[in-house]
Amino acid sequence: LQKLVGSTLETVIASESLPPDMQFSAYRVFVTKEEVIYLLDNLNNNRRILCINPAESLEPVVVGQIPTEGRSFLTDLFVTDGGTIYVADWDQRKVLAFHPSSETFTEVLQCPDGFQ
């Protein structure tokens, strides 16, 4: 994972340098104005959301996990100023929300015809 500093890319964190259970494949990335990094991790079908706050630590923290039963593919990501994380699940045709005070997700929208 890299960030642009001036005209140079600088590594923030290298997934391969992490323990195997925390390695990731960043499918989508969202960065807040405070430079907190959220990413969708689909490595090995993980279906999880990781958070990296460089001001505190470069260790990723799992802030959301989709249950492993059934098909699921997380495709988009948005984080509000209040910390609510919204993700789109392409296979399930749903938009899910992870609230800062909860370890589970809430379904906020079902899209029977899929995403366009």
Side-chain angles (χ1 to χ4, degrees):
L1 187 64
Q2 298 178 315
K3 72 176 182 176
L4 186 62
V5 178
S7 59
T8 306
L9 286 173
E10 291 185 6
T11 299
V12 174
I13 188 169
S15 173
E16 58 274 3
S17 69
L18 297 169
D21 65 324
M22 290 309 295
Q23 291 182 4
F24 59 86
S25 174
Y27 184 75
R28 290 284 190 264
V29 176
F30 185 91
V31 181
T32 68
K33 58 187 166 193
E34 294 83 14
E35 296 191 14
V36 177
I37 304 162
Y38 292 85
L39 56 93
L40 295 179
D41 174 25
N42 287 320
L43 181 68
N44 300 322
N45 212 16
N46 277 330
R47 299 182 271 197
R48 63 186 180 180
I49 303 158
L50 299 177
C51 177
I52 302 167
N53 186 346
E56 295 177 7
S57 169
L58 289 178
E59 294 295 321
V61 175
V62 178
V63 293
Q65 179 85 43
I66 302 296
T68 56
E69 60 271 355
R71 290 178 49 121
S72 182
F73 186 72
L74 305 179
T75 58
D76 285 302
L77 170 71
F78 182 82
V79 182
T80 68
D81 288 339
T84 300
I85 304 165
Y86 291 92
V87 295
D89 186 328
W90 181 266
D91 288 344
Q92 296 293 318
R93 300 176 178 177
K94 297 177 183 178
V95 175
L96 308 171
F98 291 87
H99 299 281
S101 60
S102 176
E103 293 184 15
T104 61
F105 65 90
T106 303
E107 182 180 321
V108 293
L109 182 65
Q110 175 74 44
C111 304
D113 297 325
F115 299 112
Q116 300 299 323

